[in-house]
Amino acid sequence: MSVAEVRNHSEIVTNSWKRCQQHGLKPTDAADDQSLTGKRMDEILKENALLIRHASQIFGKMEYFIKQSGQATLLIDACGNIIYSVGDPDFSKRAVAVQLQVGANWAENRKGTNAIGVAINERIPVRVHASEHYCQMNHFLTCASSPVFGPTGELLGVINFSSRQENFNAFSLALATMVAEALQNHLLIEESKKEHLITLKELECLAKHNPLPLLSLDHENTIIRANQAALRILGKDAVGKAFSGIEGFSVERIHDHRQKVWRSVAVQKQVINVKRLYHFSDIAGSCPAILEKKELAHKAASTEFPVLLLGESGTGKELFAQSIHTASLRSNHSFIAVNCSAIPESLIESELFGYERGAFTGANREGNAGKFEAAHNGTIFLDEIGDMSLRAQAALLRVLQERTITPVGSVKSKPIDVRIIAATHKNLQTEIREGRFRADLYYRLKGIQITLPSLRERSDIVQLAAHLLQKQAPNACLSEEAARMLAEYAWPGNIRELNSVLIQAAFLADGGTIRPEHLQLEHKDRTEREIRAAGDYGHSLKDAEIAAIKKALAATGWNMSKAAHLLEIGRTTLYRKIEEYKITM
């Protein structure tokens, strides 16, 4: 040691002796012979299992040298407990007399000045030789210790080399330091492996939920990983197959630091939709009823289950359908909307499933792909499914069951992979009872059912109106009277009617403040307030509707067509409300 090192070492030992005196220890005291055993010792060994595992590997390589040199090598935890040891049997017998063994605690406040306790306190490598030990009974020892730190800098324990003082070795401190550093490196590599594994899992999770099809290829261009989007395109057995320039995929090579190719990533280029589809962020409203449906739809988007959207016309069923698609793993593929009520019964099969060349008079010479084929790998939205004929329902059911389509005029089936979203304003339970809709098809479509609230059932009509105005006429605004009028109106046409009324009002108000006279409401006599006043039917719109329906049914002798005409609603809506409100004769 240099003069400075000797002075520094002497100061460290002196400070340790002072701490021992502050702890009330005396040099002549008997050794603290308490030793951990049983359950508590098992707990400490379990807590330090990783440290012991790596230390035992290092000690094992040094065991012959340790025994030949008459030493004991110890692993101590951060609290001073000896948790592992390897050593010369003869020295170990003598060391037991002072508790230099597994289970003993060599913290400074228990054993006085010693290399283990000082290394824990000072966080530095240190040697304590012979009479430098505070307790006289330990003067026969010469010890060298070095602290072990974890990957984040926390103290994990200490490495200690001990022997009789006559076996003093000037290199024992350097050896303890080297072993401690080797142990730290083992732990760092272990931590890096864990970090690497977590990173791989994180990337795997991101890739799995990425809507773009992603592939990992090895150096022989074999597919070794594929996310769900890619498996839907290439098949679930794609992993392990050769990748041979599949159309639509671009390949990026990944190099190591020696610029040798070891992996490739293939990504399918995103299909760009000409028309922007709606997202959940486009669904405006603060009403709890609509927020609940929005949350349910968002949850449904992450699944592959079919979705059935119910609600009156104009409540935003297609808005929800598009939002579910754009939030799903199929968002980079087609969204095909089909209005089932607008297709003639004679053409519905050819529209949905396509047709071959010459299939029928007037057919396209080259044939035509149907809506289902156009939606392959994407989403098909069957709007107004309640208006589909029974014949078309049977054909649709077959497609949903077999996941194949057969174009009109063809004998060959084509496999299709589509997500089904259906919608209707009709009460399908009533339609089933009256024989107009197939129960088996209903249960196929009704994977996740979401019923959208009508506008009159919402508490945010004014806020929604302000949102729609901002899009249509940014400078227009509602007066208090106009806002109150909108809130009180029954809105038989729902959001579609509200939007139409606001466009007209903004035009009449020249883009300024909209007043009541600017609101061209078609049924002003049917506001909620006036319905209540006319019949004194309670304090809610629901009560008013029940009373109005009962009154109309009584007046017409339960003639549904006449009652619906009196109420200015469709007969289907009347049936639905009678069932909903459980109205009986």
Side-chain angles (χ1 to χ4, degrees):
M1 287 188 186
S2 66
V3 174
E5 288 174 328
V6 170
R7 187 181 297 115
N8 188 44
H9 175 76
S10 176
E11 184 180 334
I12 290 170
V13 173
T14 299
N15 289 338
S16 175
W17 276 56
K18 288 178 181 177
R19 288 193 296 270
C20 292
Q21 291 164 1
Q22 291 169 0
H23 290 311
L25 300 177
K26 295 180 181 179
T28 55
D29 285 346
D32 181 348
D33 59 358
Q34 293 182 13
S35 187
L36 292 170
T37 57
K39 185 177 180 181
R40 179 57 187 144
M41 190 62 206
D42 289 341
E43 289 173 354
I44 290 174
L45 293 177
K46 187 176 181 180
E47 289 169 5
N48 293 278
L50 181 65
L51 197 64
I52 293 170
R53 176 162 62 84
H54 287 291
S56 64
Q57 293 172 5
I58 298 170
F59 286 5
K61 295 176 182 178
M62 303 173 60
E63 189 171 0
Y64 178 78
F65 161 75
I66 293 167
K67 290 179 177 179
Q68 288 297 310
S69 61
Q71 298 185 85
T73 304
L74 310 169
L75 174 66
I76 301 95
D77 71 9
C79 297
N81 300 305
I82 299 175
I83 54 177
Y84 188 75
S85 69
V86 171
D88 171 42
D90 292 336
F91 171 69
S92 296
K93 291 177 184 177
R94 176 74 179 90
V96 168
V98 291
Q99 297 286 296
L100 199 62
Q101 62 185 10
V102 172
N105 185 289
W106 277 70
E108 204 176 60
N109 63 339
R110 300 281 294 274
K111 297 288 188 181
T113 301
N114 68 87
I116 295 170
V118 174
I120 289 173
N121 266 291
E122 300 286 347
R123 305 291 206 266
I124 58 171
V126 64
R127 183 202 309 280
V128 176
H129 179 68
S131 60
E132 290 177 338
H133 288 89
Y134 185 78
C135 295
Q136 291 179 3
M137 64 186 312
N138 294 332
H139 286 184
F140 78 97
L141 294 170
T142 181
C143 307
S145 292
S146 182
V148 178
F149 298 101
T152 57
E154 74 281 14
L155 178 70
L156 299 179
V158 168
I159 294 293
N160 174 268
F161 281 80
S162 293
S163 65
R164 293 185 179 88
Q165 63 162 299
E166 55 267 27
N167 291 335
F168 171 82
N169 188 321
F171 297 107
S172 61
L173 182 58
L175 189 59
T177 303
M178 290 171 63
V179 172
E181 289 181 354
L183 182 53
Q184 287 172 177
N185 289 338
H186 275 240
L187 295 171
L188 187 61
I189 291 170
E190 178 89 5
E191 187 70 17
S192 297
K193 287 179 180 178
K194 290 179 180 177
E195 286 286 340
H196 180 64
L197 183 61
I198 291 172
T199 301
L200 285 177
K201 287 183 176 179
E202 180 184 358
L203 291 173
E204 184 178 341
C205 182
L206 291 172
K208 181 180 177 181
H209 292 93
N210 195 310
L212 289 177
L214 303 173
L215 301 173
S216 290
L217 315 174
D218 66 11
H219 62 285
E220 294 180 341
N221 262 14
T222 300
I223 300 171
I224 57 175
R225 274 185 294 276
N227 69 353
Q228 292 299 314
L231 291 176
R232 281 198 294 269
I233 295 172
L234 305 179
K236 299 199 178 291
D237 59 345
V239 175
K241 292 184 176 180
F243 177 86
S244 54
I246 300 172
E247 186 179 355
F249 281 84
S250 60
V251 178
E252 181 178 344
R253 299 190 184 279
I254 300 173
H255 302 264
D256 63 6
H257 66 284
R258 293 171 296 178
Q259 295 297 304
K260 291 186 176 180
V261 177
W262 62 281
R263 285 286 188 277
S264 297
V265 176
V267 184
Q268 189 183 51
K269 296 175 182 178
Q270 187 168 5
V271 176
I272 300 174
N273 289 306
V274 176
K275 179 185 175 184
R276 178 190 178 275
L277 297 176
Y278 289 114
H279 294 68
F280 281 112
S281 58
D282 296 314
I283 301 175
S286 59
C287 173
I290 198 69
L291 292 177
E292 179 188 348
K293 304 304 180 184
K294 187 174 175 181
E295 183 180 351
L296 181 60
H298 208 294
K299 187 176 179 181
S302 63
T303 73
E304 287 289 291
F305 299 130
V307 176
L308 178 60
L309 299 170
L310 302 177
E312 296 177 11
S313 296
T315 50
K317 294 187 288 293
E318 182 158 1
L319 171 59
F320 267 78
Q322 290 188 18
S323 299
I324 290 170
H325 171 75
T326 53
S328 74
L329 295 177
R330 298 175 180 266
S331 61
N332 61 312
H333 294 286
S334 299
F335 175 88
I336 303 297
V338 181
N339 187 338
C340 299
S341 66
I343 305 173
E345 184 179 350
S346 60
L347 296 178
I348 196 160
E349 288 185 338
S350 60
E351 281 291 316
L352 292 180
F353 314 131
Y355 57 85
E356 291 292 294
R357 181 173 57 182
F360 52 87
T361 304
N364 189 311
R365 288 185 185 180
E366 304 301 322
N368 191 51
K371 302 294 186 182
F372 270 86
E373 190 172 350
H376 184 57
N377 294 319
T379 301
I380 189 164
F381 174 49
L382 301 173
D383 198 10
E384 302 299 351
I385 190 74
D387 293 316
M388 183 177 273
S389 69
L390 288 170
R391 173 187 160 194
Q393 289 176 38
L396 176 60
L397 179 63
R398 186 174 63 253
V399 170
L400 297 183
Q401 289 173 335
E402 299 175 4
R403 312 296 291 182
T404 61
I405 57 170
T406 304
V408 175
S410 174
V411 294
K412 292 182 180 180
S413 296
K414 296 180 180 180
I416 52 107
D417 176 18
V418 295
R419 199 287 177 67
I420 305 288
I421 301 177
T424 182
H425 69 280
K426 291 188 174 183
N427 186 323
L428 293 184
Q429 294 282 14
T430 302
E431 296 296 300
I432 291 169
R433 281 197 301 270
E434 297 187 1
R436 293 191 292 269
F437 201 84
R438 296 180 62 115
D440 45 6
L441 177 59
Y442 170 71
Y443 291 114
R444 278 279 179 180
L445 296 172
K446 186 193 169 214
I448 300 171
Q449 181 172 301
I450 303 173
T451 303
L452 303 184
S454 62
L455 186 55
R456 61 182 168 278
E457 294 171 324
R458 292 175 57 167
S459 60
D460 59 352
I461 294 175
V462 175
Q463 296 95 318
L464 182 58
H467 171 77
L468 294 173
L469 268 180
Q470 183 63 32
K471 292 172 64 177
Q472 303 289 354
N475 296 323
C477 63
L478 292 167
S479 67
E480 288 186 17
E481 296 82 359
R484 188 161 51 249
M485 193 171 176
L486 292 180
E488 292 175 345
Y489 183 59
W491 297 111
N494 292 294
I495 298 171
R496 192 176 293 127
E497 182 183 3
L498 173 61
N499 195 48
S500 174
V501 166
L502 291 173
I503 292 172
Q504 175 79 353
F507 168 73
L508 294 175
D510 295 322
T513 301
I514 295 173
R515 295 188 297 276
E517 58 266 28
H518 299 137
L519 297 173
Q520 304 295 304
L521 301 176
E522 294 184 12
H523 306 284
K524 286 185 180 180
D525 56 320
R526 297 191 62 242
T527 65
E528 180 181 355
R529 175 184 293 172
E530 289 166 331
I531 289 172
R532 290 181 187 170
D536 191 20
Y537 297 130
H539 300 287
S540 72
L541 181 57
K542 178 181 176 182
D543 293 336
E545 282 192 329
I546 292 171
I549 290 170
K550 286 182 175 179
K551 191 174 181 179
L553 288 170
T556 59
W558 279 74
N559 184 305
M560 294 297 174
S561 296
K562 291 181 180 179
H565 180 73
L566 279 178
L567 292 166
E568 298 182 353
I569 60 175
R571 193 172 62 173
T572 304
T573 302
L574 178 58
Y575 276 116
R576 180 174 58 78
K577 289 188 177 293
I578 289 172
E579 183 180 4
E580 180 182 345
Y581 296 143
K582 296 181 173 58
I583 298 171
T584 57
M585 291 182 69

